[in-house]
Amino acid sequence: MNSIARPSASSSSSTTSFHQVPELDSDETHRISDQTFRRYSSSSSSASRTGRGTAILWFRNDLRVLDNEALFKAWLSSDSVLPVYCLDPRLFGTTYHFGFPKTGALRAQFLIECLADLKKNLIKYGLNLLIRHGKPEEILPSLAKAFGAHTVYAQKETCSEELNVERLVSKGLQQVVLQSSSESRSNTNNPKLQLIWGTTMYHIDDLPFDTSSLPDVYTQFRKSVEAKCNIRSCIRTPTCLGPPPSIDDWGCVPSMDQLGVYSQSQNVSKGMKFVGGESAALGRVNEYFWKKDLLRIYKETRNGMLGPDYSTKFSPWLASGSLSPRFIHEEVKRYEKEREANNSTYWVLFELMWRDYFRFLSVKYGNSLFHLGGPRKVEHRWSQDKNMFEYWRDGCTGYPLIDANMKELSTTGFMSNRGRQIVCSFLVRDMGIDWRLGAEWFETCLLDYDPCSNYGNWTYGAGVGNDPREDRYFSIPKQAQMYDPEGEYVAYWLPQLRALPKDKRNFPGKSYTEQVVPLKFKTVSKHSSQDMALAARRTNFRGRK
């Protein structure tokens, strides 16, 4: 079911093949995005713009034009919008506990592509993107003072590092005094920080419960919101968002060198190469839903591991905010109306609800999501053995299924949902390694990294989350038999296995690297029923399309 162009026999030893997502040339991508922009735009909104003065739009993880409520409100409240992106040096620092690069080279390149595309799309709508290097709490108050901006609009975030920046920006704006048009000295005020919720399919204000009362079991959450909530429609973007303020230097999209991010190999030469930006995101939705008609069979293929089309691959664009979850919802509903409604069309929305759930959990549980004991404060003695962790990180554990997944992650910045479950289980159950090491390495590598889904999934996998099932174990032999029965996946990433018979590739014995640890459970039969249940439920690493 995986739509992958597999290497031919004559080129099976090649290491230069890769699959671009979306599989569209630049002209086709922009043609599709222009068509989508027209469909989701509205010329009638222009009459409702009654605001005056300048509003600043602070782009964060919402790098899109379509269905961007912060952008729309900035436009409504002003007669001039200044879009700004701050290249915060903290995003390119190190992770909290273990000092890994906070943003790896692949995600940095993806971000660069997102910014270039956002700038291009804003220009189409009569605006531009001011790109500045520095901390938002220093840049935004300075801009507000220089342009007399009455409000800074931005997307609301939920985790501690982002919340701290919000507080610093708000504090900085309070120090800026704006003189009103009135002659009276008493008519002075400060620019305000206006935060807009825009990360989820279901709006936080529409939930049938306060986030402090959010159910601790996903199924209860899902049933409640499906029964009691509606999903808001996408905001129709005005066809012209200009004019912007007059600025001599809008800044350039940064290079990797300017970000201080370096990699030995900048190009993905194997696996998948994702193209960043809203245009590519809209192209992928069109390609997956409409061109290839893969939405129809998503539920049957979603547990795949090899190729570009076993799943939607929307998650990198969702994480960067290049793609709105409400837009996906509307496109699913349009597909159901024009083509077919079935379990697969529902299941894409089911997975988006998981993504919502992790976002809302981050509001409920705050920093405990990042603590060793997780939201449930579980006490457990974890190892932080550096050498053992590096075997896992570098794909040198001696277990082909683990090693192949880890090599895919470091090469492409992506890993299947199934793969994430398996490597998480192996690290925490079989190796006994501190789950935060795995979570922070994923933070470095993943194109689709966002703190809520990443750490929410890792706490689940480690048994310290709010999941009632504590001991999630994924038997590697069973997983290999179920999801890579002919060893195609491991042979793709581990070329030394290609010469082996298909049934030996996942079980190569002494012809492969020595296994660094024995499995917690060595037999397949003892745990086959459990694994089958896990395969059916897919409860880890949700929200990854």
Side-chain angles (χ1 to χ4, degrees):
M1 302 294 284
N2 298 341
S3 301
I4 184 170
R6 307 196 186 284
S8 64
S10 61
S11 62
S12 61
S13 61
S14 171
T15 60
T16 59
S17 61
F18 72 92
H19 309 278
Q20 184 162 297
V21 182
E23 297 174 8
L24 308 171
D25 61 37
S26 178
D27 290 342
E28 187 177 5
T29 296
H30 289 291
R31 179 183 59 79
I32 291 168
S33 67
D34 287 345
Q35 290 176 347
T36 309
F37 282 147
R38 286 194 294 271
R39 193 166 65 250
Y40 281 84
S41 294
S42 172
S43 58
S44 61
S45 299
S46 58
S48 61
R49 187 180 196 184
T50 57
R52 294 290 181 267
T54 298
I56 292 174
L57 173 62
W58 171 26
F59 277 103
R60 305 176 79 185
N61 296 310
D62 58 334
L63 304 180
R64 66 178 184 272
V65 173
L66 293 189
D67 193 38
N68 189 325
E69 189 168 355
L71 170 59
F72 182 67
K73 289 194 171 181
W75 177 83
L76 275 181
S77 70
S78 69
D79 54 28
S80 181
V81 177
L82 175 57
V84 181
Y85 186 84
C86 302
L87 289 159
D88 191 334
R90 291 166 295 202
L91 295 178
F92 306 96
T94 55
T95 58
Y96 188 82
H97 290 291
F98 303 107
F100 304 142
K102 199 166 181 64
T103 301
L106 291 168
R107 190 162 77 252
Q109 180 60 44
F110 190 83
L111 171 62
I112 288 170
E113 294 166 0
C114 288
L115 292 176
D117 189 68
L118 176 61
K119 192 176 183 74
K120 183 182 298 184
N121 288 335
L122 285 171
I123 289 172
K124 290 180 181 178
Y125 277 83
L127 291 175
N128 204 329
L129 180 64
L130 179 62
I131 299 176
R132 289 285 179 88
H133 293 256
K135 296 179 179 179
E137 63 266 29
E138 296 171 357
I139 293 171
L140 295 169
S142 176
L143 290 173
K145 182 176 182 179
F147 291 95
H150 55 73
T151 311
V152 174
Y153 290 90
Q155 179 174 273
K156 174 69 177 169
E157 295 290 339
T158 62
C159 292
S160 56
E161 292 178 357
E162 292 80 4
L163 293 177
N164 184 53
V165 175
E166 290 175 7
R167 284 191 290 269
L168 292 172
V169 169
S170 183
K171 184 177 179 180
L173 291 173
Q174 290 172 14
Q175 308 305 312
V176 177
V177 177
L178 301 177
Q179 188 74 41
S180 73
S181 58
S182 170
E183 295 291 333
S184 172
R185 292 182 181 179
S186 62
N187 285 343
T188 59
N189 61 329
N190 312 107
K192 303 295 189 292
L193 177 62
Q194 184 72 42
L195 297 170
I196 309 297
W197 188 266
T199 62
T200 53
M201 182 170 65
Y202 284 95
H203 198 287
I204 193 170
D205 293 342
D206 299 337
L207 297 180
F209 32 69
D210 188 83
T211 50
S212 62
S213 303
L214 189 79
D216 283 338
V217 177
Y218 168 74
T219 301
Q220 295 174 4
F221 162 81
R222 177 183 59 80
K223 289 181 176 179
S224 182
V225 297
E226 285 184 329
K228 300 176 182 178
C229 300
N230 292 318
I231 297 170
R232 298 184 184 186
S233 299
C234 288
I235 292 171
R236 266 47 189 177
T237 309
T239 53
C240 180
L241 295 166
S246 177
I247 294 179
D248 292 333
D249 182 10
W250 285 90
C252 298
V253 175
S255 65
M256 294 285 281
D257 287 350
Q258 289 172 321
L259 297 181
V261 179
Y262 307 99
S263 171
Q264 290 182 344
S265 175
Q266 294 292 330
N267 296 317
V268 174
S269 60
K270 194 174 184 182
M272 287 184 293
K273 168 66 171 72
F274 288 81
V275 180
E278 182 175 19
S279 297
L282 299 177
R284 176 58 178 178
V285 174
N286 179 273
E287 174 186 66
Y288 190 88
F289 283 12
W290 304 100
K291 183 178 179 181
K292 295 183 176 180
D293 202 29
L294 294 168
L295 177 56
R296 179 178 53 84
I297 55 172
Y298 169 76
K299 193 168 188 288
E300 288 71 45
T301 64
R302 74 194 193 283
N303 272 319
M305 300 176 73
L306 184 62
D309 290 339
Y310 60 80
S311 66
T312 69
K313 304 294 188 300
F314 294 161
S315 58
W317 295 293
L318 284 164
S320 64
S322 304
L323 186 62
S324 160
R326 295 193 303 205
F327 171 79
I328 298 174
H329 170 259
E330 289 199 15
E331 286 295 287
V332 168
K333 292 302 177 183
R334 185 164 75 94
Y335 181 95
E336 290 180 335
K337 182 178 180 180
E338 296 181 13
R339 292 195 181 176
E340 178 181 356
N342 60 18
N343 286 338
S344 288
T345 58
Y346 168 75
W347 214 259
V348 168
L349 304 181
F350 178 93
E351 295 289 5
L352 284 172
M353 279 187 275
W354 261 107
R355 183 177 173 275
D356 282 9
Y357 184 54
F358 280 127
R359 178 67 59 164
F360 298 137
L361 279 178
S362 73
V363 178
K364 178 178 181 178
Y365 285 112
N367 271 352
S368 67
L369 197 65
F370 308 100
H371 294 168
L372 183 62
R376 293 194 298 112
K377 300 178 174 61
V378 176
E379 294 187 7
H380 184 91
R381 297 188 65 180
W382 300 95
S383 167
Q384 292 184 0
D385 187 300
K386 180 181 178 182
N387 289 332
M388 293 297 286
F389 168 75
E390 288 178 354
Y391 285 130
W392 178 85
R393 179 196 69 187
D394 298 336
C396 299
T397 67
Y399 293 94
L401 195 59
I402 301 298
D403 297 346
N405 273 286
M406 296 308 296
K407 289 184 184 300
E408 179 182 13
L409 174 64
S410 61
T411 304
T412 71
F414 192 82
M415 188 192 296
S416 69
N417 177 75
R418 177 58 47 182
R420 298 182 201 207
Q421 297 179 69
I422 297 167
V423 301
C424 172
S425 174
F426 181 80
L427 183 74
V428 300
R429 306 295 181 192
D430 293 309
M431 300 184 83
I433 300 292
D434 186 337
W435 65 270
R436 297 172 304 173
L437 275 159
E440 288 194 7
W441 183 243
F442 271 32
E443 180 175 348
T444 295
C445 295
L446 285 172
L447 294 179
D448 60 21
Y449 170 75
D450 83 72
C452 308
S453 292
N454 186 59
Y455 284 87
N457 274 307
W458 272 95
T459 57
Y460 264 51
V464 301
N466 60 344
D467 183 6
R469 300 188 61 204
E470 299 178 20
D471 191 19
R472 297 192 175 282
Y473 183 77
F474 286 78
S475 162
I476 292 175
K478 185 63 179 181
Q479 295 292 310
Q481 288 178 2
M482 291 176 67
Y483 299 108
D484 191 30
E486 296 188 346
E488 291 181 275
Y489 175 75
V490 297
Y492 185 80
W493 288 105
L494 306 169
Q496 64 268 43
L497 299 178
R498 292 176 187 169
L500 296 179
K502 292 181 178 181
D503 62 344
K504 298 293 185 183
R505 290 172 174 175
N506 271 291
F507 312 100
K510 294 182 179 180
S511 64
Y512 185 60
T513 307
E514 183 180 356
Q515 296 172 349
V516 295
V517 293
L519 296 177
K520 184 178 179 182
F521 299 112
K522 295 182 180 180
T523 60
V524 174
S525 58
K526 181 178 179 180
H527 299 278
S528 59
S529 60
Q530 180 191 39
D531 285 325
M532 290 296 287
L534 289 171
R537 293 180 58 199
R538 267 183 88 242
T539 47
N540 281 351
F541 290 98
R542 306 306 279 250
R544 302 300 184 194
K545 268 49 75 199

